[in-house]
Amino acid sequence: MSHIWIMIAQRLALGLVTLFVVSLIIFLGTELLPGDFAQEILGQSATPETVAALREQLGLNDSMVTRYANWLGDVLQGDLGESLANGQSVSELIGRRLGWTLSLALYAAAIAVPLSLTLGILAALFRNSFFDRFANASALTSISFPEFFVAYILIFYLAGAGGPFPSISNMRGVEGFGDYLYRTFLPALTLTLVVTAHMMRMTRAAIINLLASPYIEMARLKGMSPMRVVVKHALPNALAPIINVVALNLAYLITGVVVVEVVFVYPGLGQLMVDSVSARDMPVVQGIALVFAAAYVLLNLTADVLATLSNPRLVHRR
Amino acid sequence: MKRLSNMGGMSRRTMLQGTAAVGTAALITPWGTPLRAQPVQGGTLRVGMAHGSTTDALDPGTWEADFMIFQAHTRNNYLTEIAADGSLVPELAESWEASEDAATWTFTIRSGVEFHSGHVLTAEDVVASINHHRGEDSTSAAAPIVSAITDMTVDGMNVVVTLASGNADFPFVMSDYHLPILPAQADGTIDPNTQDGCGPFRIVEIEFGVGASYARHDGYWKEGLPHFDAIEQIVIFDDAARQNALISGEVDYIDTADLNTVHLLERAPGIEILSVTGTQHYGLPMDTRAEPFNDPNVRLALKYSIDRTQLVDTILNGYGSIGNDHPIGSGQRFFNTELEQKEYDPDRARFHLAEAGMESLDVDIHLADAAFAGAMDAGVLFSESAAASGINLNVVREPNDGYWSNVWMQKPFAGTYWGGRPTEDLMFATAYERGVPWNETFWDNERFNDLLLQARSELDEDLRRDMYFEMQQIVSDDGGIIIPMFANYVGAYSDALAHPEQVASNWRNDGHRIGERWWFAA
């Protein structure tokens, strides 16, 4: 087992390096954006004097290297800094939004993962049947529409005049867990529709691949039921690619849902990121970029570890 | 009514439905004519707003977009208030008077006004609040409008303000949304991040970029106001989401209706459109120092080759009125009613082009929808109508991001929008006076600048009217900006809401005072 721990440690170290590179890219990227924070925050009402005064006050006149070094030093001490715009602590700003983003991602995943695995297994089992084609076609249809379109269709039929669900999921005054599930059902469903196809088709493909191998044939010849062959013999060996695609989609649910957040007025991280980029609020942008990058690194790491664990040959390597 | 007296177990929604039903019944007299609704107490107003950013802040010097301006008028009071009819009425200042030369103003502060914190308003609070925007190192967006103040002194409940030169409109300036009255601290400054105020509502919770909740300020000094118990302000960027929220009853009022789909809202049952002609205008400023715009004839040629009616019909979907290349709205005090309206006239444009010694003209116009909604389309329409007079207008698409830093006042021909200003003087002094920072056309007209200074300190209404009439004439004929249209403020609300017959036109949202002025119809 020990080499698994070594692998985790190596991957974590590599993850930190990745985060560092990401922070550098983000920093350089925002430097390249036209305009600067002082101008953006004062908007059309900016005058040269007020812009100059604001730049001085916020230390924007320091060189890029100095600012980056200062920021990195603070981050290493666990301090993400303060928003340039309103002086709120970045960790606090992100913390609140991250909570909402994670809970929506979890909600969507709780529907999407079991649903797509079940659909994928059944589709592999009844390959080329009407069910297989129908499941494939509908999943592909829903993933082919832009997210906002799926969202509007759901709003039109399930919210709108007299529909059972609310059309906006802003989380002001949410009362309890049940209310939360009810109010965020439409965004969660939208996300489910968006990610299901990917996971389902990967499951189906991985299992169908294995169904051609000799040991499955052997199991069949022993007279095992098809369902048992798939679940007991094929699925465990198909886990590695399935775990990978699930992890990728989970990362997407955390980092890529800006459009859904906008349509449903959901106060998640994506919206905060877009806002802060357009206002050149660097500390917030960098903080969120780090969180997003960390989500990818951690989920990829988890996927690799789980995939390794699912393969006895790798676990017991000498 | 029995059912209503037992409201303990009813949710707010059923209560509203109940009262609405009773209310409708009561409004229909035996003759079948509905009576005007009387303001009724209670309810939570839920407002969906098209603006609001995580970069918003409580500091009044940073207020720019509607979310914070609405917040400002909900939580705060000002020295003076612009009433729904556009006239200036006292708010925290009970009265004011000017010296002969209009350079010294004495405001008498209302006594007994209580802040949400219980602090009682003093003249020191007023001085501290205004001082926040003054001084060398001020980062306030309001710095230019208070820069004329040279001194402020307190005399009991009086505040005496001395100006560098006379300004007959100074009390109007004090109603600017950047200048709320906040409580002074011991050191004579205000805490810009305080949530305190003395307006009709107090902040319960505010989360920038997401929303805010307010509760009624029970000690509010205005008799019988406000009518609502609470206000929920929700940021909904997406046009479709905002309109959906109104239709499905998630909110009672939305501040901005998308003009492309407003006809769908018009047809929706139980939804009313609020369309107010105000001072908001869209424009195309030219740098009057740059070739070829330094020739007034070229400017005139362009002014006569834009089809204003077509722009109002297409870009504004009819929700607006045509402009006459000056920034004064038709509802304002000194709007020039005698000025000839410029129309689309290719022949006349050709004539002015010939006067400038040209047969044809090739120019670029730099636009992005950040300048105003539909700016790109407006540019394309303009270039087509201009072609008839031999003007080849090339529309250059610029990114929305960074538009105000990299294009506006940088490129010689671009797009702009102005929310307008409550007085003619403020508008001209902000963007048309020689050398002011926002003079987006870098225009400098001797006669205009003289008139502006004279009119500012003139207290005789008739003389002032003549001067402002002439100034509008000069801007329209010689100025560097084409102002083809005035855009209405278009919002929408559920018919459960009621408002006074006259709705203010100085800003969106009934002058941003919906919280104080509106109520739920009973």
Side-chain angles (χ1 to χ4, degrees), chain A residues 33-35 39-48 50 53-54 57 85-86 88 96-97 152 155 160 166-168 170 172 262-263 265 267 271-272 275-276 278-281, chain B residues 53-57 64 137-141 144 205 207-208 210-213 232 234-238 240-241 244-245 248 250 401-402 404-406 408 416-418 437-438:
Chain A
L33 288 171
Q39 260 167 340
E40 287 304 322
I41 199 91
L42 293 169
Q44 195 199 7
S45 62
T47 66
T50 49
L54 195 61
Q57 213 178 68
N86 49 27
Q88 281 183 301
R96 205 167 36 224
R97 298 293 192 96
Y152 285 146
I155 289 178
S167 70
I168 57 175
N170 78 311
R172 302 190 62 74
V262 168
V263 172
V265 201
Q271 184 64 56
L272 182 64
D275 249 26
S276 308
S278 62
R280 314 280 184 270
D281 198 342
Chain B
S53 158
T54 46
T55 57
D56 284 337
E64 189 201 9
D137 50 354
S138 164
T139 59
S140 169
E205 196 226 322
E207 190 179 347
F208 301 117
V210 178
S213 8
E232 271 293 317
I234 307 165
V235 177
I236 311 179
F237 286 112
D238 188 61
N244 269 326
S248 63
E250 302 284 328
D401 215 21
W404 297 110
S405 0
N406 298 338
W408 183 66
T416 189
Y417 83 94
W418 284 92
W438 297 332

Side-chain angles (χ1 to χ4, degrees), chain A residues 168-234:
Chain A
I168 57 175
S169 312
N170 78 311
M171 287 294 112
R172 302 190 62 74
V174 63
E175 295 154 7
F177 187 60
D179 192 34
Y180 175 81
L181 292 185
Y182 167 69
R183 288 221 223 163
T184 47
F185 180 72
L186 290 187
L189 188 61
T190 310
L191 290 175
T192 302
L193 290 175
V194 170
V195 296
T196 297
H198 198 192
M199 291 193 279
M200 175 196 127
R201 285 170 64 80
M202 183 56 100
T203 310
R204 177 179 178 275
I207 290 178
I208 285 178
N209 244 345
L210 285 171
L211 287 182
S213 44
Y215 79 97
I216 296 286
E217 194 133 337
M218 186 65 212
R220 277 220 198 94
L221 288 175
K222 282 195 305 191
M224 239 180 209
S225 78
M227 190 66 175
R228 206 170 142 78
V229 169
V230 167
V231 173
K232 217 91 196 175
H233 294 270

Side-chain angles (χ1 to χ4, degrees), chain B residues 327-397:
Chain B
I328 306 306
S330 58
Q332 290 186 264
R333 273 183 309 174
F334 301 130
F335 173 74
N336 189 338
T337 47
E338 291 151 16
L339 191 59
E340 184 206 348
Q341 173 66 49
K342 290 196 172 53
E343 306 275 2
Y344 175 49
D345 188 343
D347 293 334
R348 189 142 180 202
R350 260 179 206 288
F351 165 77
H352 284 293
L353 217 50
E355 289 283 288
M358 297 178 189
E359 255 178 34
S360 68
L361 174 65
D362 287 279
V363 282
D364 289 346
I365 183 165
H366 300 261
L367 293 172
D369 280 338
F372 53 86
M376 285 307 302
D377 298 339
V380 172
L381 287 174
F382 185 15
S383 83
E384 283 187 4
S385 66
S389 39
I391 297 173
N392 179 16
L393 190 68
N394 177 34
V395 184
V396 182
R397 178 186 278 274

